[in-house]
Amino acid sequence: MILIVAEHAHGAARKSAFELVAAGRTLAAATGAPLAALVIGADASSVATELAGFVPDVHVVADPALEPMRSEMTTRAVVHAAEALGARVVLVPGSRSGQSYGPRVAMRLGGAYLEDVTDVSFEGTAVVAQRPTYLARVSAAVRTEAERVVVSVKLGAIAVAPLADTTGEVHRLDVPFSDDDRRLEPGPRQAAAKGRVALEEADVVVCGGRGFGSSEAFERHVVGLADRLGAGVGATRAVVDAGWRPYGEQIGQTGKAVAPSLYLALAVSGAVQHLSGMNRSRVIVAVNKDADAPIFKVADYGIVGDVLEVVPALEEALAGRD
Amino acid sequence: MKILTILKQVPDAESRVRVQHGSLDLTGATYVLDGMDEYGVEAALRVRESGVDAEIVAVGYGPAATDQAVRTALAMGADRAVLLEGDAFHDPLTVALALADVVREEAADLVFVGGKQADWDSAALGPALAEALGWAHVDWTTAFDLDGDAFEAVHDVDDGSETLRGRLPVVVTTQQGLNEPRYPTLPNIMKARRKTLDTRAADVGQDRMVVTGHAGTERERRRVMLDGDARSAAGELVRRLRDEAKVLREEGR
Ligand SMILES: Cc1cc2nc3c(=O)[nH]c(=O)nc-3n(C[C@H](O)[C@H](O)[C@H](O)COP(=O)(O)OP(=O)(O)OC[C@H]3O[C@@H](n4cnc5c(N)ncnc54)[C@H](O)[C@@H]3O)c2cc1C
């Protein structure tokens, strides 16, 4: 069987859950294997009901200590479910949390781990996948014959699944947690900017670079434009290092990887480490005063100019659009 | 106490990476200690400099040329090094099992691992190593403080950051922001030459996953440059995004 781990926030499944449903359906259809979802959380019942519209069976592990996510508790729950249900493939999201428990689950199951893949399928009895390597400049084809395979799927890599026309069943799963699973004690959390679309889920991302010169200019132009477009706000490392924006907005090798329909790179030079976080975007726009900036090499549309002039002009053009 | 810091050598980010007929061509690439591993070496040194009596062992894995990366760690201040010599590529889970043997043999209390590898783009080694050891791990760590055997760490999570408290032993994976790694000074580079480097053949098992091919990821881009003053270029951009690329939704004002 194919088991997907559906992550959620604020009582609703994350977009990644529906991306995994799509990947899981393809794998299940290829082998005739059943598809099930696993929902883990303090009170995951609303999420389970939501998922039941998409998969025939939803298994729920509920425990107050499961939120915030703890890697070892989640590992225990996923391993327990995978063994109890006899999963050949466990699909987890390529989120920070999925990448935290994914390798642990694979190791504990004595299986293989295919990490941060952009697609996954069966080839005979083998599980094969594509994954970015070398700062996302290369896509490697990987293959495993292992009996149990954990696959983390890159966020935004697969189109979300449509609703199924049947209603799935929800089952409770009791997991024997050990004290060791709780040995790390979660303390204060700092949330990334609230009220804005999650970067990895955004359909449009506006990213600003050091060329804005100040956090005030960044706020006015980048955040302003993003708000107009209902877009996520991204930043380069130079901007984060300067303290203008929080880490949570950084895009690139050590930040987030995004693949929106539209990515606007404003006063961003286009360093390799930055490109690795955005080169899967469908359409890329670059605005830079330096015509030789490397970002133009990956741009669909480019404007050579001063962002402090071009962005206000863009706002005006958008305002007059309809 | 004993701190291990895990190292690998990767192509410098500026090196050209080409794919030809499905295989990877790294001819002419310059190899360096992975920047994410450098944060780990620095973190280990800072634990010691905070007054903890600690031996720091740098543990490299990979082909023979990895001794360069290991020497860099020794020149930064690690006390001695172990190099597990083996093929350039192994499945991270397989590497984790081989490294777990070294961690046990050294009876280490704290292990730093690079948060994400610049060649395999993998963040799996740290969690996999912790699992192989039966230890806890903290990933994407931006702050780490030790008090006796109790630690407090701040690390990145999906929607921001979180503080975690726990006790040793632990595997800590690095993230940008953890520290600014020091440059090895010339006297320290000289001193590092006399430090012990124990090279042995890596005792790795069967890979659970194999790489069967490579492809470039460059996409066909339109590469249209829009000329004119800011106003006309911006107007033309909006028109093209709407009519040509069809990525602007009509209801979005
Ligand atoms: C291990 C490691 C990991 C890294 N990880 C990341 C990462 O995750 N993400 C990331 O982004 N970087 C990362 N970097 C850093 C990366 O190498 C670059 O330094 C960084 O991306 C540069 O940011 P920038 O484009 O904002 O700044 P700069 O490179 O300084 O570029 C600023 C650009 O703005 C243009 N400009 C200036 N003023 C104006 C104006 N008024 N109008 C229009 N254009 C203007 C300039 O022409 C220039 O092209 C990493 C580096 C290392 C070593």
Side-chain angles (χ1 to χ4, degrees):
Chain A
M1 68 109 48
I2 314 293
L3 181 66
I4 71 163
V5 179
E7 290 189 353
H8 49 95
H10 316 297
R14 286 192 193 263
K15 189 177 169 211
S16 65
F18 305 107
E19 294 166 359
L20 294 187
V21 170
R25 279 183 188 164
T26 312
L27 291 178
T31 52
L35 176 66
L38 179 64
V39 181
I40 301 167
D43 171 21
S45 53
S46 60
V47 183
T49 313
E50 188 183 359
L51 261 300
F54 291 82
V55 290
D57 288 285
V58 183
H59 300 270
V60 179
V61 179
D63 189 308
L66 283 163
E67 276 173 45
M69 196 286 299
R70 299 184 200 212
S71 194
E72 289 175 274
M73 282 192 85
T74 307
T75 299
R76 176 87 56 200
V78 178
V79 167
H80 183 86
E83 281 176 342
L85 303 168
R88 166 84 204 285
V89 179
V90 180
L91 296 172
V92 308
S95 57
R96 284 261 147 89
S97 35
Q99 293 195 21
S100 180
Y101 58 77
R104 297 194 77 123
V105 171
M107 186 68 104
R108 202 174 295 180
L109 287 171
Y113 180 52
L114 307 185
E115 179 181 3
D116 216 23
V117 309
T118 49
D119 73 30
V120 54
S121 57
F122 280 110
E123 206 177 88
T125 55
V127 180
V128 298
Q130 291 282 335
R131 64 177 309 272
T133 60
Y134 291 89
L135 305 180
R137 286 171 292 179
V138 176
S139 179
V142 293
R143 173 188 180 89
T144 180
E145 294 273 3
E147 264 169 57
R148 300 228 194 269
V149 185
V150 178
V151 182
S152 66
V153 178
K154 198 165 195 64
L155 300 180
I158 292 173
V160 299
L163 259 172
D165 51 14
T166 50
T167 306
E169 259 180 69
V170 177
H171 316 266
R172 265 192 85 90
L173 204 59
D174 283 317
V175 176
F177 292 109
S178 82
D179 286 345
D180 266 0
D181 296 340
R182 269 166 256 180
R183 60 189 151 183
L184 294 190
E185 183 199 331
R189 284 173 90 84
Q190 259 196 324
K194 279 205 197 75
R196 207 174 286 286
V197 255
L199 252 188
E200 295 100 325
E201 299 185 3
D203 196 43
V204 179
V205 171
V206 182
C207 177
R210 177 153 51 193
F212 279 91
S214 71
S215 67
E216 293 75 26
F218 191 105
E219 179 80 33
R220 175 155 11 104
H221 296 290
V222 182
V223 179
L225 183 60
D227 283 345
R228 174 176 291 281
L229 291 167
V233 173
T236 62
R237 173 170 178 175
V239 163
V240 172
D241 282 351
W244 302 348
R245 305 298 300 177
Y247 268 128
E249 291 181 1
Q250 183 177 311
I251 290 171
Q253 180 195 0
T254 43
K256 293 187 168 149
V258 299
S261 302
L262 174 61
Y263 188 92
L264 294 118
L266 311 174
V268 170
S269 61
V272 174
Q273 296 94 346
H274 184 76
L275 299 182
S276 79
M278 47 70 80
N279 66 358
R280 291 179 306 117
S281 304
R282 191 150 78 73
V283 174
I284 296 173
V285 171
V287 181
N288 197 301
K289 68 175 183 192
D290 174 7
D292 295 325
I295 191 72
F296 286 124
K297 294 209 183 84
V298 299
D300 289 285
Y301 302 107
I303 297 177
V304 178
D306 185 341
V307 285
L308 302 181
E309 290 172 18
V310 176
V311 177
L314 203 51
E315 292 237 23
E316 223 174 274
L318 286 164
R321 176 146 61 104
D322 329 289
Chain B
M1 69 176 286
K2 199 181 281 186
I3 309 175
L4 260 52
T5 160
I6 310 296
L7 312 175
K8 81 180 304 200
Q9 195 148 276
V10 297
D12 173 60
E14 302 309 318
S15 294
R16 267 187 82 104
V17 177
R18 290 187 215 88
V19 177
Q20 275 171 351
H21 311 298
S23 55
L24 202 57
D25 178 6
L26 293 166
T27 322
T30 336
Y31 284 82
V32 293
L33 169 58
D34 195 331
M36 296 295 268
D37 296 343
E38 236 170 80
Y39 293 134
V41 178
E42 181 65 34
L45 296 171
R46 291 195 187 189
V47 168
R48 182 163 65 193
E49 285 159 7
S50 75
V52 177
D53 182 20
E55 184 187 22
I56 300 172
V57 185
V59 181
Y61 66 100
T66 307
D67 67 342
Q68 291 303 314
V70 171
R71 291 280 172 207
T72 305
L74 290 173
M76 286 172 76
D79 298 306
R80 61 185 175 83
V82 175
L83 173 56
L84 296 185
E85 208 182 299
D87 295 339
F89 178 78
H90 280 293
D91 172 5
L93 263 53
T94 308
V95 174
L97 288 169
L99 288 171
D101 288 339
V102 179
V103 175
R104 276 189 288 257
E105 181 190 315
E106 293 280 351
D109 307 284
L110 172 59
V111 180
F112 288 102
V113 179
K116 192 167 183 181
Q117 303 167 339
D119 52 358
W120 188 242
D121 286 9
S122 170
L125 185 62
L129 176 59
E131 180 64 31
L133 291 164
W135 293 11
H137 81 269
V138 180
D139 43 33
W140 304 106
T141 311
T142 55
F144 183 80
D145 289 301
L146 195 61
D147 180 6
D149 74 339
F151 67 83
E152 183 173 295
V154 181
H155 75 135
D156 286 353
V157 293
D158 286 309
D159 299 312
S161 65
E162 175 188 54
T163 303
L164 286 175
R165 294 191 195 87
R167 291 188 181 279
L168 301 181
V170 70
V171 172
V172 175
T173 90
T174 64
Q175 163 66 322
Q176 163 202 334
L178 180 59
N179 53 48
E180 270 309 319
R182 69 198 64 189
Y183 288 104
T185 60
L186 197 56
N188 285 344
I189 293 170
M190 303 306 286
K191 256 200 332 214
R193 293 198 182 146
R194 293 192 299 273
K195 292 181 179 173
T196 316
L197 196 173
D198 166 14
T199 303
R200 35 180 124 146
D203 182 16
V204 289
Q206 183 77 35
D207 279 323
R208 297 168 183 198
M209 166 203 73
V210 293
V211 179
T212 57
H214 300 273
T217 54
E218 268 177 39
R219 297 189 180 206
E220 206 51 53
R221 296 286 175 190
R222 289 191 179 85
R223 295 181 69 167
V224 175
M225 299 302 289
L226 305 172
D227 306 322
D229 60 10
R231 265 194 88 152
S232 52
E236 178 65 8
L237 177 62
V238 170
R239 192 190 67 72
R240 289 203 186 223
L241 290 177
R242 187 188 53 212
D243 301 338
E244 189 175 73
K246 301 192 179 3
V247 286
L248 281 184
R249 279 163 302 149
E250 277 311 317
E251 79 276 21
R253 281 152 303 110

